[in-house]
């Protein structure tokens, strides 16, 4: 069975600081991996995806993620966060059906 | 470009009342359609998915049902709501093909409060 673990429920970062959100997955085959962002009361927006090739993938809003097969991880990073990045972030794995992690809430301190 | 709509945006219903939430997709054909529920402080729970008209797969036994009367229309229903049905309901679509990468695109959601 496929599963996703996001070990950090809540992270607080100062504006301008770097960010890394952790994601570990379990999947029986080559994984398709995704990061989504959700602002309060809104739907989910796709940030980036990985399915093959270069293990460092670039997404929208300056985010990137690195796939590490040996660690079953797909961590999301951003070099310098902006106040507008405050939101909930979800990692997902799967194909026809996606399994989502429980999310990491990101708070930005001015 | 593709667009997904959900309505209503918010809904307050008493326990025991019926429910109908609607989702429509524009700009694509034969999409896979999904209903998710998001409870407060929790991740997304897949409720139903559909690969075509009249084809519904249920992921979680409950008092909810789904229907797909048209290619780009997906409806979530209940005959009698429970308090535990409260949550944020999200509809999503994806298109599978030879070059698919399986990403799903989400609607704006419906906030349901059962009182």
């Amino acid at each position: 069975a496929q599963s996703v673990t996001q070990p950090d429920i809540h992270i607080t970062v100062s504006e301008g600081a770097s960010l890394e959100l952790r994601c570990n997955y379990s999947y029986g085959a080559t994984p398709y991996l995704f990061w989504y962002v959700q602002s309060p009361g809104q739907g989910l927006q796709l940030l980036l995806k990985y399915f093959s090739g270069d293990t460092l993938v670039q997404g929208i809003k300056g985010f990137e993620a690195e796939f590490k097969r040996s660690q079953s991880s797909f961590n999301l990073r951003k070099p310098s966060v902006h106040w507008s990045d405050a939101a909930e972030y979800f990692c997902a794995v799967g194909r026809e059906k996606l399994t989502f992690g429980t999310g990491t809430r990101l708070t930005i301190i001015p | 470009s593709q667009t997904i709509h959900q309505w209503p945006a918010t809904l307050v219903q008493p326990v025991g009342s019926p429910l109908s939430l609607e989702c429509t997709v524009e700009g694509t054909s034969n999409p896979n359609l999904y209903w998710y529920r998001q409870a407060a402080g929790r991740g997304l729970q897949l409720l139903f998915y559909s690969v075509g008209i009249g084809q519904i797969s249920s992921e979680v036994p409950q008092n909810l049902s789904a229907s797909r009367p048209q290619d780009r229309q997906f409806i979530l229903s209940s005959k009698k709501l429970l308090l535990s049905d409260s949550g944020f309901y999200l509809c999503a679509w994806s298109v599978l093909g030879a070059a698919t990468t399986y990403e799903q695109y989400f609607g704006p959601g419906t906030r349901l409060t059962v009182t």
Side-chain angles (χ1 to χ4, degrees):
Chain A
Q2 59 196 49
S3 66
V4 175
T5 300
Q6 293 182 249
D8 303 306
I9 297 173
H10 185 203
I11 285 182
T12 300
V13 177
S14 297
E15 189 168 15
S18 63
L19 171 70
E20 183 169 27
L21 302 182
R22 296 182 292 165
C23 172
N24 293 98
Y25 69 89
S26 174
Y27 194 75
T30 301
Y32 285 67
L33 292 156
F34 309 88
W35 274 101
Y36 286 85
V37 61
Q38 184 182 33
S39 297
Q42 304 295 315
L44 275 69
Q45 181 183 21
L46 180 67
L47 284 175
L48 47 78
K49 62 188 177 188
Y50 170 81
F51 54 97
S52 69
D54 193 347
T55 57
L56 185 64
V57 295
Q58 302 297 319
I60 62 172
K61 305 185 179 187
F63 285 92
E64 64 180 25
E66 186 171 13
F67 170 62
K68 293 185 177 180
R69 184 185 298 276
S70 62
Q71 299 178 21
S72 297
S73 69
F74 187 56
N75 294 350
L76 182 71
R77 302 195 294 246
K78 188 170 185 178
S80 175
V81 297
H82 185 262
W83 63 266
S84 60
D85 293 325
E88 187 110 23
Y89 292 79
F90 293 92
C91 182
V93 68
R95 298 193 178 194
E96 288 85 356
K97 293 190 289 183
L98 299 184
T99 296
F100 288 81
T102 51
T104 297
R105 184 161 61 95
L106 176 63
T107 298
I108 307 296
I109 298 175
Chain B
S1 63
Q2 299 87 0
T3 308
I4 180 169
H5 303 279
Q6 287 186 245
W7 64 89
T10 60
L11 190 60
V12 180
Q13 293 284 92
V15 169
S17 64
L19 172 74
S20 181
L21 303 181
E22 189 164 345
C23 169
T24 58
V25 180
E26 297 177 356
T28 187
S29 296
N30 196 30
N32 275 18
L33 295 173
Y34 306 83
W35 278 113
Y36 291 89
R37 178 169 58 204
Q38 187 177 27
R42 300 178 64 179
L44 277 72
Q45 179 186 36
L46 179 62
L47 302 175
F48 301 95
Y49 76 96
S50 172
V51 299
I53 296 174
Q55 301 177 66
I56 309 294
S57 295
S58 175
E59 293 295 303
V60 182
Q62 60 210 324
N63 69 322
L64 298 173
S65 62
S67 62
R68 185 169 177 175
Q70 301 180 45
D71 181 45
R72 290 170 287 180
Q73 183 185 31
F74 204 22
I75 297 172
L76 183 69
S77 303
S78 174
K79 293 181 179 178
K80 292 185 177 181
L81 282 169
L82 306 172
L83 285 175
S84 58
D85 291 324
S86 293
F88 193 51
Y89 288 81
L90 290 158
C91 181
W93 67 272
S94 66
V95 174
L96 302 187
T100 185
T101 51
Y102 298 104
E103 63 264 34
Q104 294 180 15
Y105 297 94
F106 285 81
T110 295
R111 173 74 60 192
L112 171 65
T113 303
V114 182
T115 60

